[in-house]
Amino acid sequence: MISQHFWTVETPHNRAEYEYIHNGKSGISTAFEIKEKAEICIKIPRLIGCSTVLLDVFDETTSTKLCEIEGEWCGLSGEFDRYIFPIPISRLGTGLYFMRPRLSVFGGSLYGHKWADAIYFDGDSRLSGLMQFSLCNFAYQEPKKILGGVIYHIFVDRFRRGGPSETPDGARVIYGEWKKIPEYPEYPGAPFKNNTFYGGTLWGIIEKLDYISSLGVSAIYLSPIFKAASNHKYDTADYMTVDPIFGGEKALEALIKACKEKNIELILDGVFNHTGSDSIYFNRYGRYKELGAFQSKKSEFYDWYTFEEYPRKYTCWWGIDILPRINPDNPSCGNYFVGEGGVIDKYSKMGIYGFRLDVADELSDDFISKIKSRLSKNSKDNILYGEVWEDASNKISYGNRRKYYLGRELDGVMNYPLRSGIIDFLCGRGKEKLAYALTDVTANTPIHILHNQMNLLGTHDTERILTVLGGEDRNGKSNKELSTLKMDNGRRSYAVNKLMSAYTVLATVPGIPTIFYGDEAGLEGYGDPFNRMPYPWGKEDQRLLRHYKAIGEMRKSNKVYKEGDFKLLYLDDKLLIFSRTDGKFAFITVVNNSDSELHLSFEDTAESLIRKKQSKAFDLKSFCADIYKIKVDSYIEIT
């Protein structure tokens, strides 16, 4: 336990505590499985003097009150009365729900409003600060293969050259200039072909699997590899063909085999919301022998698309005319992806572990559930991630509450709220976003999903994390200026310290840390395309790389980082402390985000997992992080 005097504050008389109880065991998760005994415990301050405690339960829209549950008094807990509320699972059924505690007191009623990790009571009857819970019915087993490891995200063209490949018509390949600054549009959002290639291939990845494995990697997530005109491949030309410039299907088969030998799984990027206009499906430029939707209404692909004025005015992704949207809910279109012999079937039978769904909030719940079903027909242990930038448990897109976490769809999402929280905290912008990510977002995620979350600091869609933590503000700067803007040595050293702390947090909260290739080597870069520089082989930041490797090894050596319990112990603008426990030991992550050194004293001998030393006392330098392994219930004092 942590020294209580370190952060004791006076408790307001209207502040109540709460916990969710799963089969008699208290936990952080607000998501229950329908087979569980589900209860909610609320601890009401005795000073309030209530006679009755009720829990009003509302549907997912919060417009309809479904029922009220009367609390059963079950004893005292210090200055609180404990009330238990049994959740009527059979009556409610699978779904997302909201609730509000209501107290009968002398003179009227008091209403509960959730704020951070507590409930505050007042006379305001408006539906604000509602608590959330969900009832889930998982149809598939929890993915287990990659737990405790690391996901390595590779933008294929920029990682490593190697092996045979073919250059398609219209592509420009850079030979010999691996470090060349990428071409860039005049200004962000300006039309740009993205048809310049550096020559990275799937063969090149095979050559570096030993390196990737040294980071503790259990899965590689590849940017799109299907045939397409661009270097990023989000403008798919043919889902059934691995792009020859990456080595083709032969290279993919070899990569799958080589990964299996190193206990690494492969995850593909599934771009199933739109195709390229230059594709066998749309064929706007007549490059393919197939009759495309743009060419004729008789095309077998015509009803995949929505035309407003045929053929030149059609629905596109975000209005970008080279990315016409498709409708996977159309039977012929959907079956192409999820039917027998379709896209999902083909690659999962080849040995792909799963997919990350691009713009998942633009795909229907029904289509996503069919993707998961098809994956599970070929392998019981598979994974389906979604690109969702918010709390996916209560996400609303296009007016509909999504069902990602209710048991038929996703196994996890890209945890952008955690990224935002870590960045704000380390950049001195406050604790609020990090508190939200480590309390609400974490608690709202079903345990079935929590430990598989794709936790990240950067992707192909964001600035490089090192630049975010230490680079100059990009506002007011042209793309020409940004293309060569780098940190000086002092600023860079400061950013590296921040990144080491950031990755320590990312790798020790629930979920699987995800490395965007080159972050571990110290790549800098502002937004697309400067965040997609080639991997700096032979020029890595060795201090940063050693840290990433040490964290990867630590995760594999300690099973607690697979499914250990999580608890946020303390958070303010200068200090973060949380634990993972396995019943016998607690693994305490401490982040000193201040300019003063901290002193830690332990009741028993503790082990620093980063410094690899044992002691009963440690100093933690300013703007640094460490992880301490101690006995459960051991005492810590921090000054």
Side-chain angles (χ1 to χ4, degrees), residues 223-238:
S223 61
I225 62 171
F226 307 133
K227 186 174 182 180
S230 70
N231 52 44
H232 56 70
K233 307 297 177 191
Y234 283 93
D235 53 338
T236 312
D238 183 357

Side-chain angles (χ1 to χ4, degrees), residues 282 284 293-297 307-314:
F282 202 73
R284 178 167 182 168
F294 184 87
Q295 297 167 301
S296 173
K297 293 183 180 181
F307 291 91
E308 297 160 41
E309 294 178 11
Y310 188 80
R312 297 192 174 276
K313 191 174 181 181
Y314 45 87

Side-chain angles (χ1 to χ4, degrees), residues 333-396:
C333 181
N335 194 59
Y336 184 87
F337 294 101
V338 300
E340 187 173 351
V343 176
I344 305 300
D345 193 40
K346 172 181 176 174
Y347 293 102
S348 61
K349 283 179 177 175
M350 285 178 66
I352 293 301
Y353 186 50
F355 285 83
R356 169 265 191 190
L357 299 179
D358 186 55
V359 293
D361 57 356
E362 298 187 31
L363 303 173
S364 70
D365 287 305
D366 182 62
F367 181 58
I368 294 174
S369 69
K370 288 177 179 176
I371 294 174
K372 179 61 180 176
S373 175
R374 175 53 65 181
L375 279 172
S376 298
K377 282 181 170 67
N378 294 333
S379 173
K380 297 298 181 185
D381 195 324
N382 65 82
I383 204 143
L384 185 62
Y385 285 119
E387 181 193 11
V388 180
W389 288 61
E390 304 84 9
D391 181 351
S393 72
N394 52 37
K395 165 82 174 180
I396 296 176

Side-chain angles (χ1 to χ4, degrees), residues 43-326:
K43 293 186 280 188
I44 311 292
R46 301 208 79 195
L47 288 175
I48 289 181
C50 58
S51 58
T52 306
V53 183
L54 299 171
L55 199 62
D56 296 327
V57 178
F58 300 88
D59 69 358
E60 65 178 31
T61 69
T62 72
S63 62
T64 302
K65 179 179 171 180
L66 301 174
C67 64
E68 63 181 35
I69 309 169
E70 184 170 351
E72 178 183 347
W73 186 84
C74 59
L76 300 175
S77 177
E79 60 192 41
F80 298 95
D81 285 305
R82 296 181 73 249
Y83 289 86
I84 294 290
F85 301 83
I87 302 300
I89 290 178
S90 59
R91 176 179 174 182
L92 294 174
T94 303
L96 174 69
Y97 303 94
F98 294 92
M99 56 189 171
R100 176 188 63 182
R102 176 163 49 94
L103 311 180
S104 295
V105 296
F106 179 76
S109 297
L110 293 177
Y111 303 89
H113 308 276
K114 181 179 176 295
W115 178 256
D117 60 349
I119 304 167
Y120 293 86
F121 285 94
D122 57 33
D124 187 351
S125 63
R126 289 176 295 180
L127 296 180
S128 60
L130 295 176
M131 301 168 67
Q132 173 182 314
F133 73 94
S134 54
L135 301 178
C136 313
N137 184 14
F138 288 96
Y140 313 105
Q141 71 179 45
E142 180 184 351
K144 295 285 189 179
K145 285 183 181 179
I146 64 176
L147 288 177
V150 173
I151 297 172
Y152 197 66
H153 176 190
I154 297 177
F155 192 86
V156 179
D157 181 56
R158 308 292 161 84
F159 183 66
R160 178 75 173 180
R161 291 171 177 159
S165 64
E166 300 176 18
T167 303
D169 293 339
R172 173 177 175 265
V173 180
I174 295 174
Y175 294 102
E177 299 180 87
W178 183 247
K179 301 172 187 176
K180 184 180 176 68
I181 301 296
E183 289 182 324
Y184 52 87
E186 182 180 354
Y187 56 88
F192 191 62
K193 284 188 175 181
N194 276 307
N195 65 341
T196 299
F197 293 80
Y198 284 69
T201 66
L202 300 177
W203 298 112
I205 296 172
I206 294 173
E207 292 178 6
K208 288 297 180 179
L209 282 181
D210 284 340
Y211 165 75
I212 293 170
S213 184
S214 75
L215 297 168
V217 169
S218 56
I220 295 172
Y221 155 43
L222 299 176
S223 61
I225 62 171
F226 307 133
K227 186 174 182 180
S230 70
N231 52 44
H232 56 70
K233 307 297 177 191
Y234 283 93
D235 53 338
T236 312
D238 183 357
Y239 293 101
M240 291 298 188
T241 301
V242 178
D243 204 300
I245 203 167
F246 290 161
E249 194 161 307
K250 186 176 180 180
L252 178 60
E253 290 172 343
L255 178 59
I256 293 171
K257 180 181 178 182
C259 283
K260 296 290 186 185
E261 292 172 356
K262 300 206 175 277
N263 295 315
I264 295 174
E265 301 296 333
L266 270 184
I267 299 168
L268 299 186
D269 207 328
V271 188
F272 306 145
N273 168 261
H274 51 269
T275 67
S277 59
D278 188 10
S279 66
I280 65 172
Y281 315 103
F282 202 73
N283 208 4
R284 178 167 182 168
Y285 311 105
R287 299 186 199 273
Y288 299 95
K289 63 180 181 180
E290 289 85 352
L291 188 65
F294 184 87
Q295 297 167 301
S296 173
K297 293 183 180 181
K298 294 181 179 179
S299 167
E300 63 176 302
F301 307 114
Y302 171 74
D303 59 0
W304 287 26
Y305 301 90
T306 301
F307 291 91
E308 297 160 41
E309 294 178 11
Y310 188 80
R312 297 192 174 276
K313 191 174 181 181
Y314 45 87
T315 301
C316 310
W317 184 72
W318 283 39
I320 302 171
D321 69 355
I322 64 169
L323 300 176
R325 282 194 61 170
I326 57 176

Side-chain angles (χ1 to χ4, degrees), residues 153 155 221 232 234 269 317 356 358-359 387 389 414 416 419 458-464 474 516 526-528 531-532:
H153 176 190
F155 192 86
Y221 155 43
H232 56 70
Y234 283 93
D269 207 328
W317 184 72
R356 169 265 191 190
D358 186 55
V359 293
E387 181 193 11
W389 288 61
M414 305 175 79
Y416 280 102
R419 173 185 183 269
T459 73
H460 62 288
D461 287 324
T462 67
E463 293 182 353
R464 283 283 175 178
R474 67 174 294 164
F516 184 42
Y526 289 85
D528 174 19
N531 58 352
R532 302 174 184 180

Side-chain angles (χ1 to χ4, degrees), residues 148-152 212 214-218 418 422-423 426 455-458 465 469 495-509 511-516 519-520 544-555 561 578 589 591 610 625-627:
V150 173
I151 297 172
Y152 197 66
I212 293 170
S214 75
L215 297 168
V217 169
S218 56
L418 177 62
I422 291 174
I423 289 171
L426 292 177
N455 295 337
L456 51 87
L457 294 172
I465 183 61
L469 294 174
V496 167
N497 280 343
K498 293 281 189 182
L499 180 49
M500 289 169 68
S501 291
Y503 190 62
T504 300
V505 174
L506 193 81
T508 53
V509 295
I512 304 175
T514 302
I515 303 170
F516 184 42
D519 279 350
E520 79 282 12
L544 195 54
L545 186 55
R546 283 194 298 270
H547 183 72
Y548 270 76
K549 287 183 176 182
I551 292 292
E553 166 117 15
M554 182 210 70
R555 280 183 57 82
Y561 292 114
F578 60 84
T589 298
V591 183
I610 289 182
D626 206 344
I627 306 158

